[in-house]
Amino acid sequence: MDQMNLTLEAEANRQQLAERIARAGAPKIPATAHRHLLAQRLRRFADRIDG
């Protein structure tokens, strides 16, 4: 019984490790594009000048 629990636990750990490695290896895509952020900053700047 203990051997079975150890085997299941080891398999769960391997699975969790594989998922973490997959997430870490995936390219990180920014939530908002660079152009969008630049446009947002320019709008704020223009609002400050106008206001």
Side-chain angles (χ1 to χ4, degrees):
M1 189 70 174
D2 286 337
Q3 182 65 28
M4 188 172 178
N5 285 342
L6 288 175
T7 305
L8 288 174
E9 190 174 328
E11 183 59 34
N13 287 338
R14 272 195 290 274
Q15 196 71 6
Q16 189 178 32
L17 187 59
E19 288 172 9
R20 285 183 180 179
I21 290 170
R23 276 196 307 264
K28 300 207 176 8
I29 300 169
T32 53
H34 255 334
R35 280 180 285 166
H36 178 71
L37 292 174
L38 178 61
Q40 213 172 31
R41 281 188 229 127
L42 288 172
R43 266 187 245 114
R44 281 191 212 131
F45 182 69
D47 286 346
R48 271 190 251 143
I49 291 173
D50 289 343

